[in-house]
Amino acid sequence: MNRTIYIGNPAYLKCKNKQLKVTDPESGMEIGSVPIEDIAFLVLDHPQITLSHYLMVRLIEARAAIISCDNHHLPHSLQLPFAGHTEHTERVLQQTQMSEPLKKQLWKQTVEEKIHNQGRLLKKLGLDAEPMFEWQNEVKSGDTTNREGVAAKYYWEQLFDIPYDNLNYLSDDFEPSDKCTGFVRDRFGDSPNDLLNFGYAILRSVVARALSSAGFHLALGIHHKSKYNATCLADDIMEPFRPFVDEMIIEYLQKIPNYEKLDKTAKAYLLSLMQKDIHIDTKVRPLQVAATITAASLYKCAKGDYRLLRYPELI
């Protein structure tokens, strides 16, 4: 497993002897060193971070992703190589030649798997998940009846409408509690929206890196289409992975019921998402690896060898 390096303080980063060297800009002392080949993600979360161009080149050559955070400490940019695969041109051509019926069928599978994993999480929490599995079976090609939206409304109402300190679902004696103040999923809404925003941004980066390494052009989605979105394909493929982020946040809120804001402890916890063990193809794999398996199956679908995407299942 490659590593995720998070830099949240003023630092000078450079490359020497194939190592990422982290230096304190005030004292000039070296405070850390990591082999370039071991890095999958470098997360930069402070305005006073300086890195050398040579380091950036070596990281990109190693197919590491560089994530920059904004003033709100949320990831807002992702740097990846132009060609993440040696057959990049051929694979992008195959991507552009995917038929609309195939794209609609792949989106149907994606929505089905997303709703299925959402339902499995609700069931794991001891909540009523039966409607989710019913909506999963009603998804049509291209999700023309918007079962994804219907399921999402119910899912969010169930997921966060119980007190955090009563989320003892890891215990055998768990019983669903009474409803409390309603939760609204909003990018700029109250907590835990901040945790969700950060977690999903990291997830998007993981999936984008996997797709880029498989030779895809991220702007060409199978469902999402926007002239303002450069990662439409990643936004498509990440959907069934979202409940794994939700599960981590539920567990975090259980441990810290008095959570107030997104701090370094919370971010460090959510960055461990990349190494989270999940089930895919009846085997346990880190989420970072599972994303590469899904990306590889998408390429086989684009090529015409497969008709089914390989997505993880929340157990």
Side-chain angles (χ1 to χ4, degrees), residues 41-58:
F41 296 89
L42 175 63
V43 183
L44 308 176
D45 189 16
H46 197 282
Q48 296 178 15
I49 296 175
T50 303
L51 63 161
S52 68
H53 180 254
Y54 180 61
L55 171 63
M56 295 172 63
V57 171
R58 294 308 302 267

Side-chain angles (χ1 to χ4, degrees), residues 146-162:
N146 193 28
R147 295 297 92 180
E148 180 191 20
V150 173
K153 183 178 184 299
Y154 177 84
Y155 174 73
W156 290 118
E157 289 175 349
Q158 294 289 311
L159 190 62
F160 287 113
D161 277 4
I162 52 179

Side-chain angles (χ1 to χ4, degrees), residues 230-292:
T231 60
C232 289
L233 186 60
D235 289 342
D236 289 329
I237 302 304
M238 69 181 279
E239 293 295 348
F241 289 83
R242 287 179 183 266
F244 295 100
V245 178
D246 304 337
E247 181 183 30
M248 287 188 67
I249 292 173
I250 288 291
E251 292 175 349
Y252 187 75
L253 293 174
Q254 180 189 19
K255 296 174 183 177
I256 306 179
N258 297 322
Y259 170 80
E260 294 182 357
K261 65 178 182 179
L262 185 67
D263 55 17
K264 290 184 178 180
T265 301
K267 285 186 282 188
Y269 172 78
L270 289 173
L271 284 169
S272 68
L273 166 73
M274 304 175 189
Q275 286 77 41
K276 179 180 175 64
D277 285 336
I278 62 178
H279 288 76
I280 185 168
D281 290 344
T282 70
K283 298 179 181 179
V284 177
R285 293 286 186 269
L287 186 143
Q288 180 180 324
V289 175
T292 65

Side-chain angles (χ1 to χ4, degrees), residues 28 46 63-64 66 73 88 114 136 157 179 205 229 231 239 258 309 315:
H46 197 282
R63 296 182 181 177
I66 304 174
H73 306 287
H88 178 74
K114 176 183 181 181
Q136 175 191 351
E157 289 175 349
K179 291 292 184 70
S205 300
N229 187 357
T231 60
E239 293 295 348
N258 297 322
L309 290 167
I315 301 299

